[in-house]
Amino acid sequence: MDLDVFIAAHQAEWDRLEELLRRRRRLTGDEADELVTLYQRTATHLSQVQSSAPDPTLTAHLTNLVARARSAVTGARTASWKDAARFFTTGFPAAVYRARHWWVPTALLSVVVTALFAWWVGTHPDVRASIAAPEELREMTRPGGQYESYYSSNPATSFAAQVWTNNAQAAAICLVFGVLLGIPVLWVLFQNVLNLGVGLGLMDSAGRLDTFLGLLLPHGLLELTAVFVAAGTGLRLGWTVIDPGPRTRQAALAEEGRSALGMAIGLAAVLFVSGVIEGFVTPSGLPTWTRILIGVVAELAFLAYVYVVGRRAAEAGETGDIAATDRPTAVPTAA
């Protein structure tokens, strides 16, 4: 491309677009249509310059012009309660549903590995001896010991807030740092699986596995599901770096990254519910079967939310990405 010839051929169109943008509040109907046409042409010009003659000065000028024109064409918009309602009724469940091929296998594999860790710790005295001294193990597993008193060690409100913060941070690490080929996600998963497996194994060796499950299941079902969803989504984001599919790597990462950040907000709400259960239900004086039933109901409600509401939204074309009008302009790629 001869850049001087290209500029000479299209400078008049850019100047005209600049003029229309300066007085966009006083445009006639024909001038408004002209602005849309010039915006589309200039977006194509920007694509041609970027692909054939990437001049920094001209690229910066056209990028600014296209951004301003896009704002004039689409109009400025502020977030509202309707956006939040749309996110929780369509965007978030659709995003979780679309990621099911990643987080469901992640959950199943994590459960299997956790069971193996629990069996290893519970059936091998030498492994337990490497974890802590016998007196310390008895203190952790005895009635009223550390595993039981943990859930009532602080006032319910502050304990729920602490649990929610810690779990939300773990989920955010999986979602945000999944782009690093998923390596931080695997580390978070390993830490969760190891800690849970050790707890199950130690309590099983003390003959108190039923007590431990009675404390874990009320909040743990929903909490672990949220962590698995975050981990699976983070792993998918990491795989996008390796294989973006038919999209460009930049476009694929932008789309999946926006979806992952939205997922962090939704999972924070899910983890808030599990934190409330852990802070108020788990240490309560309710019968064990009642506490477990509350946890099962919360888990089934979330799965129904994903597989009924989310599936319906996904089939309608929802991806969990932000609204099309809020996305950056995707200019055509020159052949």
Side-chain angles (χ1 to χ4, degrees), residues 3-310:
L3 200 58
D4 293 331
V5 173
F6 185 82
I7 293 174
H10 300 293
Q11 185 66 58
E13 293 176 302
W14 304 337
D15 291 342
R16 175 59 175 166
L17 179 58
E18 191 79 61
E19 178 189 350
L20 293 175
L21 288 173
R22 281 197 296 268
R23 56 186 187 86
R24 63 183 184 180
R25 296 185 183 279
R26 295 176 282 107
L27 298 179
T28 65
D30 290 340
E31 287 174 332
D33 291 339
E34 183 184 6
L35 187 149
V36 174
T37 300
L38 290 174
Y39 158 60
Q40 294 170 335
R41 290 180 184 173
T42 305
T44 301
H45 298 161
L46 174 59
S47 174
Q48 292 172 335
V49 170
Q50 289 175 323
S51 60
S52 302
D55 178 73
T57 302
L58 181 59
T59 298
H61 173 65
L62 293 182
T63 298
N64 177 264
L65 194 57
V66 168
R68 290 167 54 206
R70 177 183 180 275
S71 177
V73 169
T74 61
R77 191 178 68 85
T78 57
S80 67
W81 286 108
K82 290 183 178 179
D83 296 311
R86 172 187 172 275
F87 173 73
F88 282 107
T89 56
T90 60
F92 175 57
V96 178
Y97 179 78
R98 288 179 64 243
R100 68 192 184 284
H101 297 303
W102 284 90
W103 64 262
V104 171
T106 298
L108 294 176
L109 182 59
S110 296
V111 169
V112 170
V113 175
T114 298
L116 290 175
F117 269 128
W119 169 82
W120 186 46
V121 172
T123 58
H124 290 73
D126 55 326
V127 175
R128 296 195 296 275
S130 68
I131 295 174
E135 303 79 25
E136 294 175 316
L137 294 179
R138 280 193 294 272
E139 178 58 30
M140 285 190 285
T141 59
R142 68 174 177 81
Q146 293 176 12
Y147 276 122
E148 289 187 45
S149 62
Y150 168 77
Y151 296 101
S152 56
S153 57
N154 291 297
T157 302
S158 61
F159 181 71
Q162 178 185 354
V163 167
W164 175 56
T165 301
N166 292 339
N167 289 330
Q169 287 177 344
I173 290 174
C174 290
L175 292 166
V176 175
F177 293 101
V179 71
L180 301 176
L181 302 182
I183 295 174
V185 180
L186 296 175
W187 175 249
V188 171
L189 274 177
F190 175 76
Q191 290 293 316
N192 275 275
V193 165
L194 179 62
N195 290 334
L196 182 56
V198 168
L200 289 168
L202 290 179
M203 290 295 276
D204 181 52
S205 67
R208 308 193 66 240
L209 181 60
D210 56 339
T211 300
F212 189 67
L213 290 176
L215 293 170
L216 175 68
L217 292 179
H219 65 274
L221 291 172
L222 187 59
E223 177 184 297
L224 289 173
T225 300
V227 171
F228 294 146
V229 170
T233 303
L235 292 174
R236 184 180 67 173
L237 184 60
W239 184 253
T240 300
V241 178
I242 301 171
D243 181 16
R247 302 165 292 182
T248 65
R249 183 168 281 103
Q250 180 179 3
L253 283 174
E255 180 180 341
E256 299 298 339
R258 290 192 300 265
S259 179
L261 289 176
M263 191 95 76
I265 298 172
L267 289 178
V270 176
L271 288 169
F272 175 77
V273 175
S274 72
V276 170
I277 295 174
E278 187 168 2
F280 292 90
V281 176
T282 298
S284 71
L286 292 172
T288 300
W289 69 267
T290 304
R291 290 186 279 113
I292 293 178
L293 179 62
I294 292 173
V296 170
V297 169
E299 173 73 358
L300 292 177
F302 177 72
L303 293 178
Y305 172 65
V306 171
Y307 279 91
V308 177
V309 179

